[in-house]
Amino acid sequence: MLEGMKKIDEVEWEVPVGYVPGMRVPARFFLSEDLEESLEEGAVHQLANVATLPGIVRHALAMPDIHSGYGFPIGGVAAFREETGIISPGGVGYDINCGVRLLATPLRVEDLTQMRALVEELFRTVPTGVGAESRMRLSARGLEEMLVEGVPWAVREGYGIEADAVHCEENGQMQGADAVPVSKRARKRGMPQAGTLGAGNHFLEVQAVDKVFDPGVAAVYGLEEGQVCCMIHCGSRGLGHQVCTDHLRVLESATRRYGIEIPDRQLACAPVHSPEGEAYFGAMAAAANYAWVNRQVITHEVRKVFSRLFGIEYEEMPLVYDVAHNVAKREVHDTDGRRETLYVHRKGATRAFGPGRVEVPQDYRAVGQPVIIPGSMGSFSYVLHGTGTAMERTFGSTCHGAGRVMSRTAAKKSMPGKEVREALLGRGIYVRATSDASIAEEAPAAYKESDKVVDTVTRAGLSMPVVRLRPLGVIKG
């Protein structure tokens, strides 16, 4: 599988120009020896295809959780120049801003004497699964404001506190969002779904800080061993999916109209500042804001449950941070000795800005951005911090999770959901889902081991471990 590729260092590999015709730059991916067997040839081919796109800077990149996706591989990162580059839905994905956030609590593990009751109450409170509908009564005007304003809108409407927006990537409000290119169909799908968990790999998880790697940074983030936390992983639901679908159709035509040659129609794209490119960016940013609000409304409900059951104050569950996974963003980076505005696509990858960047909240700026890496239902999750090395090597990017090694169909065949649920309960993890089938699809065996993925980005210097979290109770869509 690695034949013909150049090993740069112990965990970085280069796919040379010529691996596929038309490559403008080499491709690079990060992979440890423990993960080599999981590497898919198709994912490497997709990564090399990304290197053919106009205006790409330095390398097409992939993180150690790389696997095949639509257009870009999952785990793919690429930066494009504003003047000569493109924007592509294939570099973002259908679930725009499928992201993850971590809430801290003042509780200790020993305070959770009724885990089943807690999980069941959360399951009753947070609408979960395919077709789940929100209890919010959202007007057409309210939806439009949400798409443009993001988390600040939610806070103003009573779904959080001001500090929540500060501790979101982009302050929970991506600039350039435009509701106009969000279709009526996308709005119709999004109207009833704000504040719902969805299905697939999305989850709400009660966790405990199991190990502290860096006490100093952990203290800055407000985390300590034995502390109870909540992790929320979900995205832009049907609205984001429809935005991608709508604009892919437009950009497929635009690719031909602008004479852009692509090796795969899934890489349909347009110049950044073309009418089609700007319309997609505006709609994508609006969908990203919708996703941040989605997680914010769930956060609001989770806080109320914990307040009810444990008598803690709403404000005693601060948002540690919220990161986006599937998004293209306008960022300034140092390239070839000069500062340059780039459009950085992160498809199943996480921003990992290092110390000193103004985009990092003031209270975290000295140590770098929190990077939240979710596990896979029965495995550890991690909080890392961004580094200067990531700024130099990957445009401030790192992994986003464990990465699939088994399709959902294969996972369901390998072990019935009931057996997965009972096995996890035997390990002290209470799982609640809409069906056993959804548990089977997301069985821990369907993913790479999160420990190995985190070890790889640590060895590469892309992000450094702060704490490890173990699951106690899990809600799956």
Side-chain angles (χ1 to χ4, degrees), residues 307-345:
S307 294
R308 230 171 21 245
L309 296 185
F310 299 100
I312 62 177
E313 296 295 326
Y314 188 95
E315 293 79 7
E316 288 184 286
M317 289 187 67
L319 175 61
V320 177
Y321 205 58
D322 180 303
V323 296
H325 290 156
N326 296 347
V327 73
K329 292 164 68 177
R330 189 173 184 267
E331 297 174 354
V332 175
H333 289 272
D334 293 326
T335 60
D336 304 322
R338 63 191 178 106
R339 293 184 70 73
E340 192 171 8
T341 298
L342 305 175
Y343 279 72
V344 182
H345 294 56

Side-chain angles (χ1 to χ4, degrees), residues 35-50:
L35 295 172
E36 287 180 10
E37 288 186 6
S38 67
L39 183 64
E40 304 169 351
E41 185 175 358
V44 175
H45 198 88
Q46 285 186 316
L47 182 62
N49 284 342
V50 173

Side-chain angles (χ1 to χ4, degrees), residues 110 323 348 376:
E110 52 268 25
V323 296
S376 51

Side-chain angles (χ1 to χ4, degrees), residues 29 31 38-39 43-44 47 62-68 73-75 448:
F29 59 88
L31 203 71
S38 67
L39 183 64
V44 175
L47 182 62
M63 302 300 118
D65 43 347
I66 179 175
H67 56 286
S68 298
I74 309 297
K448 299 175 185 179

Side-chain angles (χ1 to χ4, degrees), residues 49-63:
N49 284 342
V50 173
T52 70
L53 295 173
I56 189 167
V57 178
R58 287 208 300 250
H59 307 102
L61 298 160
M63 302 300 118

Side-chain angles (χ1 to χ4, degrees), residues 228-276:
V228 173
C229 297
C230 272
M231 188 173 284
I232 300 167
H233 179 209
C234 60
S236 48
R237 306 289 277 117
L239 183 141
H241 195 284
Q242 193 64 45
V243 164
C244 182
T245 299
D246 293 339
H247 287 268
L248 268 173
R249 297 186 186 119
V250 174
L251 291 173
E252 283 175 357
S253 299
T255 305
R256 295 189 293 271
R257 183 160 52 256
Y258 293 108
I260 301 171
E261 295 185 10
I262 53 174
D264 180 353
R265 65 190 295 268
Q266 293 182 358
L267 292 174
C269 58
V272 167
H273 287 306
S274 66
E276 299 88 347

